Amino acid sequence: MQVQKTKHIEALTTNYAVAYAVKAADVDVIAVYPITPQTTIVEKISEFVANGELNAELIHVESEHSALSAVVGAAATGARVFTATSSQGLELMHEVLHIAAGMRLPIVMAVPSRTLSAPISIHGDYSDLMNARDTGWVIYIAASAQEAYDTVIQAFRLAESVSLPVMVSYDGFLMSHTVEPVELNDEEEVRKFLPRAVRPYTLNPKRPVTMGPLASPDWYYEFKYQQVLALKEAYKVAKEVDSEYGRRFGRSYGVVETYRMEDADYAIVAYGGASYGNARAAADLARKRGIAAGVVRVRLYRPFPTADVLKALDGVKAFAVVDRAIMFGSPAEGPLYKDIATAMYMHGIDKPALGVIHGIGQRTMYVEDMYKIYTMLRENPRKEVVFLGVRV
Amino acid sequence: MTLSKATELPIGAVVTEPGSTRRNITAGWRALRPVIHDDRCVRCQLCWLYCPEGTIVELKGIFKVGNRTYDTKYEINYDYCKGCGICANECPTKAIEMVPET
């Protein structure tokens, strides 16, 4: 007879759930710098360290640029590291994002996404994350506190397997500061899932190496191509890590999550908690009103899960992509829309696809808005970008 | 010479052994080379002191120059000398001449 273990469930904000995941992962070095809406992650971690619940070196830094630099240095010694940021902080880290990826350091960073200045807004959308999209980091976008907890643990495993830094993002405020029940894993089990990998090269006075050297034109391109290969590899490894996590802890998400897609004619593709939740409620509503509606959520954003997204959208007549970020001046202003359009074009698929920009600066997204997208898809399937919820 | 492929290089551009820069000869861009005329050298050590790259080599021994005998002699390490000419500029007896590279 299998022994049923008692589930350990806590009421946590997504930020706190991330802090618990960091504790479970037995992280060695954490750089802390506050920025809204990330602050409560590092506050909670500071509490864990102060109470002796987590044996880690906590570095108080003077900016986000220093925060990422500090964990770059710590990761170079072979330590397991973590930091977190949002919005302007992620922008301030930008040059170090490239360095972390180029040095192939397994850093894990949480990014509760927030909009960018100007005008100043502390509210949520994915403007910050989308600016960090092309830096060579693996990027996850979680849709629940539970998923954020699970994804941070998976992220350490993935980062250390493929030697790439990983961001775990989710909705600023709408998730970062709202409470959900979160099932916490047994910490011993998490540590078994995350064995300390021996890295081939670390900063060690007994075996000196040089990291981050200069590369002339006859070398640089090769190292960048290594990163291309590593991200291709990460697509495969992310799936393996997710299914192994599912076997051990009973929860897995895949790289793309679908809702009522089996027989859907019309689909909304989205990322993040609010977009996905509203789209699911709208799909239920649409089904009641006679539209075969479904939802596809992109969980792994970089490397882009092209094959899985195309498979999920295989049977639909038309679909819409809801983006919570704007690519100014782009042929299509939605970043995820652009990715999917590129994937479709490269695979010779031609289908009506509506780009939808919504939830900018945490503009409220209503279920009715999402329902309206389904009616637009049915009544007038077209290739166009619409700005929903803006006063024009 | 064939350079390594992307898949053959250490991950993350790590230089895996110490002292590898010793193999890098850094004098490739020198246009003028300093030549020491030993008969004019008074062993003041100023060139050795001023060289920003440490390429002036001080040799110990017994060196007879004309009717004088010195216990040191200065030579230039042309593997690393970039030809900046500071040594020639500083030399009080104009014993160092900058000669075009051929």
Side-chain angles (χ1 to χ4, degrees):
Chain A
M1 195 186 91
Q2 209 182 347
V3 181
Q4 191 71 43
K5 278 187 191 164
T6 323
K7 283 185 175 179
H8 182 194
I9 296 178
E10 293 258 2
L12 299 174
T13 63
T14 304
N15 276 358
Y16 276 16
V18 166
Y20 273 94
V22 169
K23 179 157 83 84
D26 193 22
V27 171
D28 304 314
V29 179
I30 300 140
V32 295
Y33 193 79
I35 186 166
T36 299
Q38 170 278 127
T39 313
T40 56
I41 303 174
V42 290
E43 273 178 13
K44 192 69 183 168
I45 293 172
S46 304
E47 215 175 286
F48 288 144
V49 173
N51 293 344
E53 290 175 77
L54 173 63
N55 181 18
E57 193 71 41
L58 196 82
I59 311 176
H60 293 266
V61 288
E62 70 281 348
S63 77
E64 287 85 356
H65 189 279
S66 313
L68 192 56
S69 301
V71 294
V72 160
T77 69
R80 184 172 285 168
V81 303
F82 176 84
T83 191
T85 193
S86 290
S87 188
Q88 307 297 133
L90 187 57
E91 299 309 305
L92 187 54
M93 280 181 181
H94 196 91
E95 71 158 333
V96 196
L97 293 177
H98 286 273
I99 293 167
M103 288 175 73
R104 304 290 298 280
L105 298 171
I107 296 164
V108 174
M109 176 159 75
V111 183
S113 282
R114 175 187 139 185
T115 194
L116 295 173
S117 299
I120 298 169
S121 162
I122 62 157
H123 287 83
D125 67 25
Y126 282 87
S127 306
D128 54 356
L129 188 76
M130 291 309 171
N131 271 349
R133 188 185 50 209
D134 302 332
T135 53
W137 284 55
V138 172
I139 299 175
Y140 283 104
I141 307 176
S144 70
Q146 182 70 65
E147 190 193 334
Y149 174 84
D150 297 329
T151 307
V152 167
I153 295 168
Q154 291 185 15
F156 280 106
R157 177 74 175 267
L158 175 63
E160 288 164 18
S161 307
V162 294
S163 290
L164 281 176
V166 181
M167 275 180 217
V168 179
S169 183
Y170 44 91
D171 295 12
F173 289 107
L174 296 174
M175 285 174 67
S176 70
H177 284 60
T178 51
V179 175
E180 292 175 60
V182 178
E183 189 186 329
L184 301 177
N185 299 330
D186 181 63
E187 292 195 351
E188 283 307 308
E189 290 300 315
V190 173
R191 285 163 201 190
K192 273 185 217 158
F193 180 72
L194 298 174
R196 304 258 163 192
V198 178
R199 303 237 305 273
Y201 299 109
T202 52
L203 291 180
N204 177 354
K206 287 184 188 143
R207 227 180 99 203
V209 295
T210 303
M211 291 193 181
L214 178 143
S216 52
D218 38 1
W219 297 102
Y220 181 85
Y221 191 8
E222 276 64 29
F223 289 112
K224 290 291 129 182
Y225 188 68
Q226 279 187 346
Q227 288 178 247
V228 173
L229 296 179
L231 276 149
K232 283 183 197 291
E233 177 73 9
Y235 183 16
K236 213 170 65 197
V237 178
K239 285 181 172 186
E240 289 165 11
V241 169
D242 185 62
S243 51
E244 197 193 325
Y245 188 88
R247 281 197 298 278
R248 291 215 198 188
F249 301 105
R251 291 180 302 275
S252 69
Y253 306 86
V255 291
V256 167
E257 198 180 358
T258 57
Y259 181 74
R260 303 189 85 158
M261 282 301 293
E262 306 74 34
D263 58 341
D265 289 334
Y266 304 100
I268 287 179
V269 190
Y271 48 86
S275 300
Y276 184 50
N278 282 345
R280 272 187 307 174
D284 290 342
L285 192 65
R287 291 245 172 197
K288 264 185 215 157
R289 295 176 186 174
I291 305 173
V295 189
V296 177
R297 178 174 71 90
V298 175
R299 174 179 181 242
L300 182 70
Y301 185 59
R302 283 290 181 272
F304 193 72
T306 307
D308 291 72
V309 171
L310 294 184
K311 193 170 153 247
L313 293 172
D314 197 28
V316 301
K317 290 178 187 158
F319 66 93
V321 183
V322 177
D323 268 295
R324 290 189 66 200
I326 304 172
M327 292 169 82
F328 299 101
S330 169
E333 283 86 347
L336 181 64
Y337 181 87
K338 189 214 73 176
D339 286 325
I340 295 176
T342 308
M344 294 252 163
Y345 181 79
M346 288 182 77
H347 288 80
I349 304 164
D350 191 1
K351 233 177 235 196
L354 189 68
V356 179
I357 309 289
H358 202 357
I360 299 302
Q362 213 172 312
R363 172 60 47 86
T364 307
M365 295 181 286
Y366 296 99
V367 174
E368 280 294 335
D369 296 341
M370 297 289 192
Y371 172 73
K372 196 176 149 198
I373 297 171
Y374 285 122
T375 60
M376 285 159 86
L377 289 176
R378 190 175 60 171
E379 278 149 31
N380 183 14
R382 59 194 189 270
K383 296 169 188 164
E384 197 190 323
V385 177
V386 296
F387 293 81
L388 218 58
V390 70
R391 294 181 298 274
V392 280
Chain B
M1 189 176 72
T2 320
L3 298 173
S4 310
K5 291 177 183 169
T7 47
E8 296 162 353
L9 293 168
I11 298 296
V14 172
V15 180
T16 58
E17 51 179 303
S20 62
T21 49
R22 280 187 206 141
R23 293 199 300 268
N24 293 346
I25 307 301
T26 53
W29 55 77
R30 186 174 59 223
L32 294 172
R33 72 160 57 207
V35 174
I36 300 179
H37 297 286
D38 205 31
D39 53 329
R40 280 183 245 159
C41 174
V42 293
R43 274 67 181 167
C44 70
Q45 218 180 25
L46 279 178
C47 59
W48 179 88
L49 194 66
Y50 274 98
C51 175
E53 294 291 318
T55 63
I56 311 277
V57 185
E58 191 178 66
L59 299 173
K60 298 280 181 195
I62 297 159
F63 302 99
K64 217 168 148 48
V65 183
N67 51 5
R68 287 169 190 243
T69 308
Y70 296 105
D71 55 2
T72 54
K73 177 180 163 70
Y74 294 91
E75 283 186 355
I76 287 153
N77 184 343
Y78 289 113
D79 282 349
Y80 300 104
C81 169
K82 297 178 176 62
C84 68
I86 289 176
C87 54
N89 185 61
E90 296 300 330
C91 180
T93 60
K94 303 288 167 218
I96 302 177
E97 187 189 351
M98 299 304 288
V99 182
E101 284 287 342
T102 49

